[in-house]
Amino acid sequence: MAYIIGVILLIIALIITGLILRKRVYDVVDRYEAWKMDILGRNIAGELSRIKELNLSGETQAKFESWKERWDQIVTKELPDIEEHLFDAEEAADRYRFSKAKKTLNETEKVLVSIEADIEKILKEVDDLMESEESGRKEAEEINPAIKSLRKNLSQQRYQYGKAESYFDERIDLLEEKLLGYNDEIKSGNYYQAKRLIDELRVNLTELEERMEEFPEIYKKCKHELPSQLHDLFAGLKEMKEDGYRVDHLAFEKEIRTYQEGLSDSLEKLDKGDASQAKEIMPEIEERIQEMYGLLEKEALAKNYLENQIPGYKKSIHKIDQSFDDTRAEVEELQKAYYIEDSDMERFISLDKAIAKLKAELEELENDMGDNGVSHSELREKIEQGFSQVKELERAHEGFKLRIQNLRKDELEAKAKLTEIRNELYHTQRKLKKSNVPGVPNFIWDSLENASFKNEMVLTALEKQPLDMNEVQQALGEAENAVKHMVEQTDVMLDQAYLTEQVIQYANRYRSQYPLLASKLTEAERLFRSYEYELSLEHAAKAVEEIEPGALKRIEEYQKAAMN
């Protein structure tokens, strides 16, 4: 029983599957049928009828017939065949031959796609043809008056084109011939060829318009302006030579002739309508003419500069030479009394050589002034450099003179400083003699003796011939330090002695009351009489501070007030 139910269910499933597959085939058949009807309903014939507005001959006629034939084939052959194929697919589906139905439908789809592609191609080619006709016609309508305008301008301005007028006449004739060729192609129904011709004609026209527009200016410059400028430049060059200007080194004559020949060759090509060489050479010539005038002007200014500045230049060199002669004599005299540093002598020798070089260059310059092979511009540069060198030498010379003059000044200052130091040494000695201290410690006498020795060293250095100021300055510095040190030591020693005396006197009031204090004061007095003032002060101060704290500070303040 279960087996029978299973078989029944399987049969039912197969029937349902068959129905579903058959429904799908029907759906595809319906879709392709609608597609076929859509194609059939399109107004392709109407689109093709637009071509009848054109000349149906030649290329256009061949195109129209091929399009019409293809559309007729689609309508009368391929679409009816599709109808039969769709019927076959339905019949196969009814018989559950789904593979055959699918194959038939696939082939039908390919045919429909091919038909769509062909229709799209036909419509595009129709549009292209109509557009080519329209755009070509508009181009021709614009080009025809443009060609006539070129002819008119050439006729009215023939003198601006010279012999090239015949060349441009021929070029306009060619444009007119191409325009006639365009019209012939239109009459023959060859619209694509006509469009190619009109496009080519537009390019040729634009090119010719540009060439004819720029030609008069190029021709004018090449035939009149630039030759005239070169001629004037050549004449000016010759005149400058006659007036004594040195321009041979510029070699402009050969360059001018080369440019003149180049313009002549360019003019021959211009007469044949070729402006390429002229356009290439003219900017170079124009730029070079300006450069030549600039160089000639520079030469003229240089000559005028030389005439005005050479006398002053000679005078400045003569002046610094004479001034240095005085410095040389002064140096020779100073060397007898002073030792001049090697660095200063190097500066002196360098100045001497530089001035000698300037004098030699001046002599060379004077020789070059008589040599026509040397340009005034070159001579001007030499003089300008010379003026700069003279100024630099003047600054260096003044610096050197100031330095050697300072030798005498330094000597006087050193002597004055020595006198000042010796006076300070003398006053310190008097201060020691007038002091009431029991005696002077040995280190003070040693310091005093060293300071005196250092002073003698300065005096010895000042008496040397030639005088070495570096040695004097060094000895003077040592003497100054020695005296300063001696004065400081003396002042400290005397202050300590006076303060010790005050402390002992102050502490005596406590001597009878404090036996220990009395003992310490006795030791302080012994040290005081032995000239050990620093140790004596330490003992006395320590003793009194133990009895009366702060006493030392009050004594010091009292002593300072008394000294002031």
Side-chain angles (χ1 to χ4, degrees):
M1 187 65 180
Y3 174 77
I4 295 172
I5 294 172
V7 171
I8 293 171
L9 290 175
L10 177 62
I11 292 172
I12 293 172
L14 290 174
I15 293 171
I16 293 172
T17 301
L19 291 174
I20 292 173
L21 292 175
R22 189 166 60 182
K23 177 65 168 62
R24 288 180 180 176
V25 171
Y26 290 163
D27 289 342
V28 173
V29 168
D30 291 341
R31 188 168 71 251
Y32 287 171
E33 176 68 22
W35 191 350
K36 182 202 71 169
M37 296 304 296
D38 176 67
I39 292 173
L40 190 61
R42 295 178 192 174
N43 188 20
I44 303 301
E47 290 293 323
L48 293 177
S49 66
R50 293 164 57 198
I51 303 301
K52 294 180 181 180
E53 300 174 7
L54 309 180
N55 293 325
L56 282 176
S57 58
E59 185 182 66
T60 304
Q61 184 177 5
K63 285 282 185 182
F64 177 75
E65 289 177 354
S66 67
W67 296 333
K68 186 174 181 300
E69 181 180 352
R70 177 65 182 128
W71 175 243
D72 289 343
Q73 183 182 7
I74 291 171
V75 173
T76 60
K77 177 77 170 61
E78 294 182 6
L79 291 180
D81 288 346
I82 288 173
E83 181 69 28
E84 292 181 6
H85 289 157
L86 293 177
F87 180 76
D88 291 342
E90 284 184 337
E91 186 176 355
D94 289 342
R95 296 178 181 179
Y96 297 97
R97 300 173 65 180
F98 297 113
S99 59
K100 180 180 179 181
K102 183 177 180 182
K103 181 179 179 181
T104 302
L105 290 174
N106 287 338
E107 292 175 356
T108 302
E109 182 180 13
K110 290 179 181 178
V111 174
L112 287 170
V113 169
S114 174
I115 291 172
E116 284 285 7
D118 288 344
I119 291 174
E120 184 177 350
K121 181 181 178 183
I122 291 171
L123 294 177
K124 185 177 184 305
E125 288 180 353
V126 170
D127 289 338
D128 288 345
L129 180 60
M130 298 301 293
E131 185 180 345
S132 296
E133 185 278 334
E134 183 181 2
S135 62
R137 177 164 38 81
K138 289 181 179 178
E139 284 280 349
E141 290 173 355
E142 294 174 359
I143 287 174
N144 188 36
I147 294 176
K148 291 180 180 179
S149 177
L150 281 182
R151 179 80 72 185
K152 180 181 178 181
N153 291 338
L154 181 63
S155 176
Q156 292 175 345
Q157 302 172 6
R158 291 181 183 276
Y159 67 93
Q160 295 184 8
Y161 293 88
K163 295 180 181 179
E165 180 236 337
S166 59
Y167 167 81
F168 287 112
D169 248 340
E170 292 174 1
R171 298 292 296 174
I172 295 173
D173 288 343
L174 288 176
L175 295 181
E176 290 178 339
E177 288 177 9
K178 283 190 176 181
L179 186 59
L180 290 175
Y182 164 78
N183 291 328
D184 290 341
E185 293 292 346
I186 291 296
K187 291 177 182 177
S188 301
N190 300 326
Y191 290 96
Y192 287 121
Q193 180 62 24
K195 184 63 170 66
R196 285 191 289 271
L197 274 176
I198 206 68
D199 289 341
E200 182 181 339
L201 181 56
R202 166 58 75 185
V203 173
N204 296 151
L205 175 62
T206 301
E207 179 186 350
L208 186 59
E209 285 175 337
E210 291 174 354
R211 292 179 64 183
M212 288 183 67
E213 182 179 357
E214 68 180 6
F215 188 90
E217 183 65 23
I218 296 173
Y219 183 76
K220 179 182 176 183
K221 284 187 177 182
C222 197
K223 185 174 178 61
H224 301 292
E225 293 181 1
L226 291 179
S228 176
Q229 291 178 23
L230 291 173
H231 178 270
D232 293 343
L233 181 59
F234 194 90
L237 196 63
K238 183 178 179 182
E239 185 178 347
M240 287 184 72
K241 283 185 180 180
E242 294 172 353
D243 292 341
Y245 291 94
R246 298 175 183 179
V247 292
D248 288 335
H249 67 287
L250 298 173
F252 283 165
E253 293 92 340
K254 181 179 179 181
E255 194 172 357
I256 290 173
R257 291 191 187 96
T258 300
Y259 285 138
Q260 287 173 333
E261 291 172 1
L263 286 175
S264 179
D265 293 341
S266 298
L267 190 61
E268 290 181 6
K269 292 185 177 182
L270 282 171
D271 288 338
K272 297 176 183 178
D274 183 4
S276 59
Q277 180 175 324
K279 288 169 69 175
E280 181 179 349
I281 194 175
M282 284 193 326
E284 177 187 344
I285 295 176
E286 289 174 331
E287 182 179 354
R288 187 56 181 153
I289 286 175
Q290 295 302 316
E291 290 177 355
M292 288 179 177
Y293 274 118
L295 290 171
L296 291 177
E297 183 181 5
K298 181 181 178 182
E299 188 64 25
L301 292 173
K303 183 174 184 294
N304 182 65
Y305 176 87
L306 291 173
E307 291 172 351
N308 293 328
Q309 297 297 327
I310 280 184
Y313 182 56
K314 290 181 180 178
K315 184 177 179 181
S316 64
I317 292 179
H318 180 68
K319 180 180 177 182
I320 194 172
D321 185 42
Q322 282 189 329
S323 177
F324 192 73
D325 284 341
D326 296 338
T327 301
R328 185 183 291 107
E330 186 176 0
V331 168
E332 291 173 356
E333 187 66 27
L334 284 172
Q335 282 180 314
K336 297 175 183 178
Y338 297 92
Y339 171 75
I340 299 178
E341 292 291 323
D342 291 343
S343 58
D344 291 329
M345 286 305 299
E346 287 176 2
R347 291 190 184 94
F348 175 75
I349 294 170
S350 177
L351 283 169
D352 192 11
K353 289 181 178 179
I355 292 172
K357 183 182 177 184
L358 266 182
K359 290 166 65 179
E361 289 175 350
L362 176 61
E363 185 177 346
E364 182 182 350
L365 182 66
E366 289 175 336
N367 293 332
D368 289 341
M369 287 295 293
D371 183 3
N372 288 329
V374 182
S375 69
H376 290 121
S377 298
E378 185 178 348
L379 295 176
R380 175 176 181 168
E381 288 179 4
K382 289 184 177 181
I383 290 183
E384 287 175 342
Q385 291 175 0
F387 271 124
S388 178
Q389 291 173 0
V390 168
K391 289 182 179 179
E392 185 62 33
L393 285 174
E394 286 175 346
R395 286 194 293 270
H397 185 209
E398 288 300 319
F400 179 77
K401 287 197 299 183
L402 182 63
R403 188 167 180 82
I404 60 175
Q405 288 169 3
N406 284 339
L407 286 173
R408 292 194 179 110
K409 181 181 176 182
D410 290 345
E411 179 189 7
L412 295 175
E413 290 178 352
K415 288 180 177 179
K417 188 66 176 177
L418 178 62
T419 301
E420 181 183 336
I421 292 173
R422 296 180 73 177
N423 287 336
E424 192 170 1
L425 183 62
Y426 172 73
H427 290 313
T428 303
Q429 289 175 330
R430 285 194 61 193
K431 184 187 292 186
L432 285 172
K433 289 179 181 180
K434 292 172 63 177
S435 66
N436 294 322
V437 295
V440 178
N442 289 333
F443 74 88
I444 295 294
W445 295 121
D446 291 341
S447 181
L448 182 61
E449 184 179 350
N450 181 58
S452 298
F453 174 74
K454 295 295 185 181
N455 274 269
E456 291 301 321
M457 293 295 293
V458 176
L459 190 59
T460 301
L462 284 168
E463 290 174 351
K464 282 186 179 180
Q465 293 293 331
L467 183 63
D468 186 346
M469 285 309 301
N470 279 342
E471 182 182 351
V472 171
Q473 294 292 348
Q474 183 176 352
L476 189 63
E478 292 178 359
E480 188 174 8
N481 290 334
V483 171
K484 182 179 179 182
H485 180 65
M486 186 273 295
V487 171
E488 289 175 352
Q489 284 186 318
T490 301
D491 289 341
V492 169
M493 182 272 295
L494 291 176
D495 287 344
Q496 287 176 342
Y498 294 147
L499 182 58
T500 301
E501 190 174 11
Q502 293 295 322
V503 171
I504 291 174
Q505 290 177 0
Y506 187 86
N508 280 336
R509 66 181 68 181
Y510 298 111
R511 185 187 290 266
S512 59
Q513 299 177 29
Y514 300 98
L516 185 58
L517 170 65
S519 174
K520 291 181 179 180
L521 288 177
T522 300
E523 177 62 18
E525 289 171 348
R526 184 189 69 77
L527 291 170
F528 185 79
R529 288 191 295 272
S530 301
Y531 323 143
E532 299 288 343
Y533 302 118
E534 187 174 0
L535 286 175
S536 177
L537 178 60
E538 289 180 5
H539 279 70
K542 184 177 180 182
V544 76
E545 282 292 321
E546 289 177 354
I547 302 301
E548 185 181 338
L552 178 63
K553 184 176 181 181
R554 290 193 294 273
I555 295 170
E556 287 178 343
E557 291 175 352
Y558 174 78
Q559 183 176 345
K560 287 180 182 179
M563 291 178 67
N564 292 335

